[in-house]
Amino acid sequence: MKLLVVNGPNLNLLGVREPGIYGDQSYAALVKLIEDTCAAEGVEVDVFQSNHEGALVDRIQQAMGDADGIVINPAAYTHTSVAILDALKAVRIPAVEVHISDVSKREDFRQISYARLACVKTIMGQGLDGYRQAILFLKSYIENMDK
Ligand code: DQA
């Protein structure tokens, strides 16, 4: 099994950006958490981050025929990007949406998620551990799909 983890804009600045909201762990620490979780589960993983909407769309498209599942934190594009929603729908790969913060308790403009409409689950407000939870959920979701 192979997963793709996609992170959107400003997540490369984890640890520096608004630590009161996103914590003090770096993006490198997040990548290590993802890679360690996948290694422990016997799952292959590619981790991708971009600040550019089109690059995120391109990477989702490239997952076709390659990845069995996608974990995605579209970051600010969550709330604006129909293009990312359409890409997730187009590739028809099961996807889980992750947000480090609890967006449901934040500003009104964060209450819309386009990506969510193409995701089988959303995990929010769990800090970086949300990615670990998403990987575990997606692995078992994919295994059960095959039955
Ligand atoms: C975020 C929440 C978004 O609203 C915000 O724009 C982000 C990060 C999160 O992980 O909590 O960049 O997706």
Side-chain angles (χ1 to χ4, degrees):
M1 184 185 301
K2 183 168 177 184
L3 301 183
L4 169 66
V5 180
V6 177
N7 281 302
N10 301 306
L11 290 169
N12 56 314
L13 292 184
L14 278 178
V16 175
R17 82 181 280 219
E18 302 181 88
I21 297 176
Y22 300 112
D24 56 11
Q25 300 234 74
S26 66
Y27 181 70
L30 173 61
V31 173
K32 187 175 182 320
L33 170 86
I34 291 165
E35 289 177 347
D36 288 353
T37 303
C38 287
E41 294 296 319
V43 169
E44 261 187 272
V45 68
D46 281 342
V47 187
F48 179 78
Q49 189 276 331
S50 177
N51 295 324
H52 304 276
E53 185 175 18
L56 295 164
V57 169
D58 285 345
R59 189 63 190 87
I60 291 164
Q61 288 188 7
Q62 283 162 14
M64 233 183 322
D66 183 47
D68 303 295
I70 297 175
V71 173
I72 184 161
N73 182 348
Y77 288 135
T78 305
H79 318 299
T80 61
S81 180
V82 177
I84 289 173
L85 165 64
D86 285 350
L88 290 170
K89 282 186 168 174
V91 298
R92 299 174 64 191
I93 299 169
V96 173
E97 177 190 28
V98 174
H99 297 289
I100 296 166
S101 65
D102 184 353
V103 283
S104 73
K105 302 214 167 87
R106 297 182 64 192
E107 301 94 325
D108 286 351
F109 64 83
R110 294 185 207 273
Q111 301 313 311
I112 287 178
S113 169
Y114 290 100
R116 189 166 309 161
L117 301 173
C119 290
V120 296
K121 189 179 174 73
T122 295
I123 295 171
M124 61 172 83
Q126 302 294 309
L128 300 194
D129 192 63
Y131 288 84
R132 190 188 61 80
Q133 295 173 30
I135 289 162
L136 298 183
F137 174 87
L138 198 49
K139 184 189 174 209
S140 113
Y141 182 91
I142 294 163
E143 283 167 353
N144 284 313
M145 256 174 42
D146 295 340
K147 283 182 190 150

